[in-house]
């Protein structure tokens, strides 16, 4: 599967990428990334908060050192965590150091919420993982009320100019968040991508249509419904998968490819990483329509929810 989508800045993004959330700090993560590249993946998605940039970088380095791929043929994404929204230049430089790269292909603002700044202590490699909790209510993040995601984005525009990121974009942005960003007089560079949760029980039709109109490519995270997903055992999807002799995961990835956005299935098992990339099919009009209609049948479900306090809903 080597389809590419052209971004609004002219860069090309491979449509199927490897998600790495919840792959942590181990030789296994290095091997997953290395094996994925061997299988043919050219797009790897990580984030500072995943705590695995070193391993992702080591897997990439191993593949490059062995001559399996050249750096310029890979598309690597990482993300700016909320505690570093005031420090985006320092944050991307530290991500690049952990990844052992000179640039990332795509740098995303992870959430449209600035959390209180944690200074980055280079002597503590895991310091960037700090998520300050509100002392009164430990289940709530400590929001930085004097800094907005618009401020952060304006600073991120310079990261593209400096070449630290070939493209910049956002993640978990609603239509309202995007409209607010577009309003600012210093807003110059349209986000190339908006990475959000999209799967058959959360098809996000309205957001995808809005982004398309604005020239922003959506990227689907948790395209299988994340960990312990009810999607993978959904009876309708299981019956389609059985008839086509593939797994439900392949139905989900194929459906996403057919809908035309970037899709980032995550697995820590090499056999699944391979299937999620190689065993894709073109769904018949009937099966495609059935998957499109799952939300009506089973109700909308969001599996990744932000517990950032001022945001009661995604909108
Ligand atoms: P594992 O990592 O053990 O393979 P998402 O991409 O929506 O975040 O979903 C990832 C979840 O789906 C993980 O729990 C992953 O488990 C599981 N998964 C990934 N690929 C497959 C597959 N082909 N078949 C079954 N489960 C899969």
């Amino acid at each position: 599967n080597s389809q590419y989508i052209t971004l609004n800045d002219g860069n090309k993004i491979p449509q199927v990428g490897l998600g790495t959330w919840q792959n942590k700090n181990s030789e296994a993560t290095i091997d997953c990334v290395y094996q994925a590249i061997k299988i043919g993946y050219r797009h790897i998605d990580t984030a500072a908060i995943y705590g695995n940039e070193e391993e992702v970088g080591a897997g990439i380095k191993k593949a490059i050192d062995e001559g399996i791929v050249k750096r310029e043929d890979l598309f690597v994404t990482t993300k700016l965590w909320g505690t570093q929204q005031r420090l985006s230049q320092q944050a991307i430089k530290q991500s690049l150091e952990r990844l052992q790269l000179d640039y990332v292909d795509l740098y995303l603002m992870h959430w449209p919420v600035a959390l209180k700044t944690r200074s980055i202590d280079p002597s503590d490699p895991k310091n960037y993982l700090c998520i300050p909790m509100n002392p009164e209510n430990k289940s709530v993040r400590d929001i930085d009320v004097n800094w907005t995601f618009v401020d952060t984005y304006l600073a991120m525009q310079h990261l593209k100019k400096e070449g630290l990121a070939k493209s910049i974009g956002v993640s978990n942005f609603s239509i309202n968040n995007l409209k607010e960003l577009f309003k600012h007089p210093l807003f110059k560079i349209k986000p190339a991508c908006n990475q959000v949760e999209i799967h058959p029980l959360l098809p996000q039709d309205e957001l995808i249509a809005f982004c398309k109109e604005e020239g922003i490519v959506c990227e689907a995270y948790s395209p299988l419904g994340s960990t312990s997903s009810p999607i993978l055992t959904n009876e309708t999807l299981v019956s389609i998968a059985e008839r086509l002799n593939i797994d439900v995961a392949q139905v989900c990835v194929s459906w996403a490819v057919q809908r035309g956005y970037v899709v980032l299935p995550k697995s820590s098992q090499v056999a699944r990483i391979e299937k999620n990339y190689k065993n894709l099919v073109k769904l018949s009009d009937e099966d495609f329509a059935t998957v499109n209609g799952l939300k009506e049948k089973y109700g909308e479900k969001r599996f990744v929810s932000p517990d950032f306090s001022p945001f009661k809903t995604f909108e």
Side-chain angles (χ1 to χ4, degrees):
N1 193 310
S2 54
Q3 267 172 271
Y4 288 77
I5 297 177
T6 303
L7 301 172
N8 58 19
D9 58 9
N11 293 328
K12 288 186 168 48
I13 186 167
Q15 197 177 4
V16 180
L18 180 72
T20 62
W21 182 37
Q22 292 168 339
N23 272 357
K24 283 232 155 117
N25 309 333
S26 65
E27 285 295 317
T29 303
I30 300 175
D31 195 51
C32 277
V33 171
Y34 167 74
Q35 296 290 346
I37 294 170
K38 258 182 126 170
I39 286 163
Y41 281 77
R42 292 295 174 262
H43 176 178
I44 315 287
D45 183 275
T46 183
I49 195 67
Y50 298 172
N52 63 13
E53 286 175 314
E54 286 96 339
E55 290 77 12
V56 168
I60 290 170
K61 184 169 189 304
K62 187 169 174 206
I64 292 174
D65 287 351
E66 289 184 13
I68 295 165
V69 74
K70 294 199 196 80
R71 169 65 186 99
E72 58 268 32
D73 296 328
L74 284 176
F75 192 101
V76 182
T77 300
T78 195
K79 311 186 190 87
L80 174 69
W81 187 241
T83 50
Q84 301 186 318
Q85 288 210 9
R86 285 176 186 256
L87 307 167
S88 54
Q89 195 197 51
Q90 204 181 336
I92 192 173
K93 285 185 174 164
Q94 293 199 345
S95 279
L96 290 172
E97 208 176 304
R98 289 189 291 264
L99 285 161
Q100 304 184 63
L101 297 176
D102 304 325
Y103 65 90
V104 284
D105 295 274
L106 180 62
Y107 197 51
L108 301 177
M109 189 189 322
H110 207 142
W111 289 91
V113 187
L115 301 176
K116 282 206 177 139
T117 302
R118 283 287 154 114
S119 65
I120 309 168
D121 175 2
S123 68
D124 174 4
K126 298 295 180 212
N127 186 280
Y128 58 90
L129 293 177
C130 290
I131 306 167
M133 295 296 172
N134 183 310
E136 265 89 65
N137 179 355
K138 295 266 187 246
S139 69
V140 166
R141 313 287 196 202
D142 211 355
I143 306 289
D144 185 342
V145 292
N146 298 313
W147 189 264
T148 71
F149 63 81
V150 178
D151 298 325
T152 306
Y153 192 86
L154 298 181
M156 285 174 66
Q157 296 184 135
H158 295 284
L159 306 179
K160 180 171 162 73
K161 289 190 195 128
E162 287 174 64
L164 296 167
K166 298 274 182 206
S167 299
I168 53 167
V170 296
S171 182
N172 296 301
F173 268 51
S174 67
I175 293 175
N176 287 341
N177 296 149
L178 288 167
K179 283 184 177 163
E180 191 172 333
L181 175 62
F182 298 166
K183 269 193 327 224
H184 197 282
L186 295 178
F187 168 74
K188 295 264 158 47
I189 303 173
K190 271 254 172 92
C193 292
N194 183 17
Q195 187 179 125
V196 292
E197 180 177 345
I198 311 175
H199 47 66
L201 295 180
L202 190 68
Q204 301 263 34
D205 294 335
E206 204 193 339
L207 179 61
I208 293 169
F210 177 84
C211 286
K212 196 166 182 191
E213 210 154 281
E214 296 291 342
I216 300 168
V217 170
C218 281
E219 298 185 273
Y221 74 66
S222 299
L224 315 176
S226 198
T227 315
S228 318
S229 167
I231 288 183
L232 295 175
T233 53
N234 176 283
E235 55 189 5
T236 305
L237 289 171
V238 168
S239 77
I240 293 175
E242 280 177 354
R243 179 161 39 74
L244 299 176
N245 205 16
I246 55 178
D247 289 355
V248 171
Q250 280 97 62
V251 175
C252 293
V253 180
S254 301
W255 173 75
V257 168
Q258 222 159 315
R259 296 213 317 156
Y261 43 76
V262 171
V263 55
L264 303 165
K266 173 262 167 184
S267 177
S268 43
Q269 299 182 29
V270 175
R272 288 174 171 178
I273 289 175
E274 178 157 15
K275 280 191 193 176
N276 295 349
Y277 190 77
K278 286 199 164 162
N279 294 29
L280 304 183
V281 296
K282 169 138 188 359
L283 297 174
S284 67
D285 291 350
E286 200 189 332
D287 286 341
F288 188 62
T290 303
V291 183
N292 283 331
L294 279 193
K295 184 183 88 169
E296 270 64 53
K297 193 167 170 194
Y298 296 97
E300 185 172 282
K301 290 211 171 54
R302 202 183 279 275
F303 299 111
V304 180
S305 142
D307 45 8
F308 302 114
S309 82
F311 292 93
K312 302 288 180 253
T313 70
F314 265 78
E315 286 63 41

